[in-house]
């Protein structure tokens, strides 16, 4: 993320600080119901753009609680298909992501999730790579991911 969130977790101006405590309580309830453990392995970009990224030894491996989202995508096929058209109908795929509440980072002060870091999901023994990170309007850190493969 480019900018750390404020007390309410919002990057830009807050509507009313009086709702900060209510938002924190709501995040805690969601985390209690849906959160699972994720292992974050920091990776640094290689100096050569064609070389693969390497583990970033300057940052520690951390375990965070987050909520996994993988919404099924609706097929996006046109009702009519014109054979003279060069564009073919395609299917849209889902885009999985992980959301972390501000409370998830209290145990790991100073840790920053970056693009290219690897996330391991022990519940299904799969590794993912972080595509990007950004804060949602309600202050959650969202990290869209791509699947790397099963853990060895």
């Amino acid at each position: 993320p480019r900018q750390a969130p404020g007390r309410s977790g919002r990057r830009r101006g807050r509507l009313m600080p009086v709702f900060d405590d209510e938002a924190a309580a709501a995040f805690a309830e969601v985390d209690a119901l849906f959160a699972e453990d994720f292992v974050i392995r920091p990776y640094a970009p290689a100096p050569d753009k064609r070389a693969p990224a390497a583990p970033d030894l300057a940052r520690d491996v951390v375990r965070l609680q987050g909520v996994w989202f993988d919404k099924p995508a609706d097929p996006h096929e046109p009702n009519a298909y014109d054979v003279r058209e060069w564009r073919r109908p395609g299917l849209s795929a889902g885009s999985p992501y992980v959301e972390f509440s501000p409370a998830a980072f209290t145990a790991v002060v100073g840790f920053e999730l970056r693009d290219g870091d690897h996330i391991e999901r022990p519940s299904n023994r799969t590794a993912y790579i972080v595509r990007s990170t950004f804060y949602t309007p309600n202050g959650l850190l969202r990290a869209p991911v791509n699947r790397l493969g099963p853990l060895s």
Side-chain angles (χ1 to χ4, degrees), residues 81-150:
Y81 173 63
D82 186 359
V83 294
R84 296 170 293 175
E85 183 66 38
W86 65 273
R87 291 173 292 191
R88 302 292 184 240
L91 297 176
S92 58
S95 179
Y97 60 91
V98 184
E99 279 189 349
F100 299 100
S101 69
F105 292 95
T106 56
V108 288
V109 177
F111 180 80
E112 180 183 1
L113 186 64
R114 298 180 186 162
D115 302 354
D117 286 351
H118 289 192
I119 294 181
E120 295 176 0
R121 186 178 180 206
S123 65
N124 69 351
R125 299 198 39 81
T126 307
Y128 300 88
I129 186 169
V130 176
R131 290 192 328 239
S132 64
T133 57
F134 59 91
Y135 285 97
T136 62
N138 58 358
L140 299 171
L141 177 65
R142 182 175 292 177
V145 295
N146 285 341
R147 187 175 189 268
L148 288 175

